[in-house]
């Protein structure tokens, strides 16, 4: 901490806390989306489940139904 101002240290700590919060929420939201997609697949609503899969793929999240 020596050589850094208190404001810089506080900003860094805030960044760490906010980053952790965002990562946790991202994981929760992704899990919800995957659960909704699986529900659509099991209900044979393939247009909806494929749409969700394709949108996730566009975001770089590859979904493999063959596993």
């Amino acid at each position: 901490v020596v050589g850094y101002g208190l404001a810089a240290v506080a900003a860094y700590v805030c960044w760490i806390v906010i980053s952790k919060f965002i990562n946790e929420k991202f994981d929760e939201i992704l899990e919800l989306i995957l659960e909704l997609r699986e529900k659509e697949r099991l209900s044979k609503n393939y247009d909806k489940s494929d749409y969700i899969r394709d949108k996730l793929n566009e975001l770089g999240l590859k979904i493999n139904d063959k596993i």
Side-chain angles (χ1 to χ4, degrees), residues 38-54:
E38 185 63 17
K39 181 179 175 185
E40 295 300 334
R41 284 185 68 213
L42 294 174
S43 298
K44 298 187 180 192
N45 294 326
Y46 299 118
D47 288 342
K48 289 180 183 179
S49 67
D50 289 351
Y51 175 81
I52 294 169
R53 181 201 60 220
D54 293 345

Side-chain angles (χ1 to χ4, degrees), residues 5-52:
L6 185 56
V9 172
Y12 180 70
V13 170
C14 286
W15 177 81
I16 290 172
V17 170
I18 290 169
S19 295
K20 183 177 184 220
F21 176 79
I22 290 171
N23 286 335
E24 289 173 358
K25 291 303 168 188
F26 175 82
D27 291 345
E28 292 174 17
I29 292 168
L30 181 57
E31 186 64 33
L32 174 63
I33 292 169
L34 293 173
E35 287 175 14
L36 292 171
R37 180 175 179 274
E38 185 63 17
K39 181 179 175 185
E40 295 300 334
R41 284 185 68 213
L42 294 174
S43 298
K44 298 187 180 192
N45 294 326
Y46 299 118
D47 288 342
K48 289 180 183 179
S49 67
D50 289 351
Y51 175 81
I52 294 169

